[in-house]
Amino acid sequence: MKTIINPILPGFHPDPSIIRVEEDYYIAVSTFEWFPGVCIYHSRDLQNWELIARPLERTSQLDMRGNDASGGVFAPCLSYDQGTYYLVYSNVRTHWYEFMDCQNYLVTAKDIKGPWSDPVYLHSVGFDSSLFHDTDGKKYLVGLIRHYRKDRIQKIFLQEYDDKEKRLIGKLKEIYAGSGISIPEGPHLYKKGGYYYLLTAEGGTEYGHAVTMARSRNIEGPYELHPGNPILTSRDNLRADLQKAGHADLVETPDGQWYMVHLCARPLPPFRRCPLGRETAIQKVVWKDDEWLYLETGKREPQVRIPGITKTRKREKRKYFL
């Protein structure tokens, strides 16, 4: 069995978003104030990755003039449906905690390498938005909303997106307040076995970072919490090789194996600084009989070495919704 060594994208590759299209895997990562915006990598084995696209290459797509340092593109979300690639991203002008309602956009392409479209303006509510393609053909945007006058309460919202009209429709609905760790963000929705699964980052992006999960039979909730939350974190072991583990996304292989990509960092003693910044790692995960997701190790802590893809009999092709 092949072994995957973490991090799979070392050095300044934060906030990974992963998809699979047939036999090909793609990861999009944040680029903050650097231009062109967003890096997209390609792999066939989840270990070896090649940079193949920088989709936000025109100022009509990403104009960062006047942005604060470390502003720009936060947490892009890459998805695919019916022959079209979708990329949702934020343009963060300022990152004062008290004012984080950012401009959020969507671009599309028929080829992952481009050209990518001019942006569709989505909203100016928070950041970290992602697009979910439901099995009935509807599309939904999930993101975070911050209530500035309510003790900085932060929640996850849901709103339908009309792909023909290129705009959000219906009412914005708050669907999730987090597991109790703090400040839920980076949401991704999945559908499996009759449940909608909501994966979020909590605890901030420093040493308290974590991944939590909730599920519901109804996309609008209510969402029940995973009994083992957080399902991935380094917060309980400051000596773990991979620290700051959080901000995750899921992908399924053609034969039904599951993996989770996530943000991580590798601090150096004695001051625990991370000169390579926030990086991208991957963990193997499994669905158990209780229909919840767990790390294959049965623990919560990310591992440097994980099992690679096991080649098994190919299953019948099916539409991919993640």
Side-chain angles (χ1 to χ4, degrees):
M1 179 186 297
K2 292 185 178 180
T3 299
I4 297 176
I5 308 299
N6 281 312
I8 53 172
L9 294 176
F12 189 55
H13 291 98
D15 310 325
S17 173
I18 189 169
I19 61 169
R20 176 181 59 82
V21 180
E22 296 182 352
E23 302 292 329
D24 297 291
Y25 299 91
Y26 302 101
I27 286 180
V29 295
S30 301
T31 45
F32 289 81
E33 72 260 47
W34 301 102
F35 189 88
V38 179
C39 294
I40 297 178
Y41 289 84
H42 168 258
S43 177
R44 281 288 183 95
D45 61 6
L46 296 178
Q47 170 68 77
N48 300 289
W49 295 86
E50 177 188 6
L51 178 64
I52 61 166
R54 298 292 299 273
L56 307 181
E57 59 184 358
R58 306 187 300 276
T59 55
S60 61
Q61 299 167 313
L62 180 63
D63 187 345
M64 297 186 288
R65 288 175 291 185
N67 285 15
D68 282 355
S70 295
V73 176
F74 280 22
C77 175
L78 184 64
S79 61
Y80 176 83
D81 186 54
Q82 299 292 317
T84 299
Y85 295 91
Y86 297 79
L87 182 70
V88 176
Y89 62 98
S90 304
N91 185 3
V92 179
R93 298 294 187 182
T94 180
H95 46 87
W96 286 11
Y97 191 94
E98 289 77 10
F99 190 77
M100 286 290 287
D101 281 338
C102 308
Q103 297 162 338
N104 293 266
Y105 301 96
L106 168 68
V107 292
T108 60
K110 293 297 183 180
D111 188 324
I112 191 75
K113 296 181 180 179
W116 288 78
S117 69
D118 280 338
V120 172
Y121 170 76
L122 295 172
H123 62 75
S124 294
V125 180
F127 51 95
D128 283 8
S129 293
S130 67
L131 191 64
F132 169 67
H133 310 273
D134 207 343
T135 52
D136 60 3
K138 291 184 178 181
K139 301 182 187 301
Y140 296 89
L141 197 76
V142 285
L144 66 89
I145 183 169
R146 183 172 292 164
H147 295 284
Y148 304 108
R149 292 186 174 88
K150 295 181 180 179
D151 299 323
R152 296 179 175 176
I153 293 174
Q154 189 163 294
K155 296 183 179 181
I156 302 301
F157 76 82
L158 174 81
Q159 190 170 7
E160 188 175 349
Y161 175 73
D162 190 311
D163 202 19
K164 292 183 179 179
E165 296 188 12
K166 308 298 181 188
R167 67 183 182 92
L168 294 169
I169 60 175
K171 186 178 180 181
L172 182 152
K173 299 174 182 178
E174 298 178 4
I175 62 171
Y176 183 64
S179 69
I181 293 177
S182 70
I183 52 173
E185 56 189 358
H188 291 291
L189 267 175
Y190 315 88
K191 192 174 186 180
K192 184 179 185 299
Y195 281 106
Y196 291 94
Y197 289 89
L198 181 61
L199 196 70
T200 59
E202 293 193 52
T205 58
E206 293 296 326
Y207 291 99
H209 211 190
V211 178
T212 60
M213 177 175 268
R215 71 183 181 191
S216 175
R217 296 286 188 183
N218 188 319
I219 195 169
E220 295 181 4
Y223 281 82
E224 62 172 313
L225 295 177
H226 191 300
N229 275 332
I231 61 173
L232 173 71
T233 188
S234 309
R235 62 189 290 139
D236 301 321
N237 182 6
L238 294 181
R239 293 186 177 182
D241 292 317
L242 303 178
Q243 290 291 323
K244 304 183 180 182
H247 199 106
D249 197 7
L250 301 174
V251 69
E252 183 184 8
T253 70
D255 55 2
Q257 299 171 71
W258 285 78
Y259 287 83
M260 174 191 291
V261 293
H262 63 92
L263 178 156
C264 72
R266 293 176 291 172
L268 296 179
F271 302 111
R272 297 185 60 75
R273 303 257 171 83
C274 303
L276 292 180
R278 292 178 290 175
E279 307 173 284
T280 288
I282 191 168
Q283 307 296 324
K284 192 164 189 180
V285 291
V286 293
W287 295 93
K288 294 192 176 180
D289 291 342
D290 60 1
E291 298 184 87
W292 284 112
L293 188 78
Y294 298 84
L295 293 187
E296 188 189 47
T297 61
K299 303 177 181 179
R300 299 175 179 177
E301 186 178 304
Q303 303 298 307
V304 172
R305 295 175 176 269
I306 69 158
I309 299 173
T310 304
K311 297 295 183 181
T312 60
R313 180 177 59 86
K314 290 186 177 180
R315 302 191 311 179
E316 181 182 355
K317 288 186 178 180
R318 62 183 182 179
K319 187 177 177 182
Y320 183 67
F321 296 106
L322 299 190

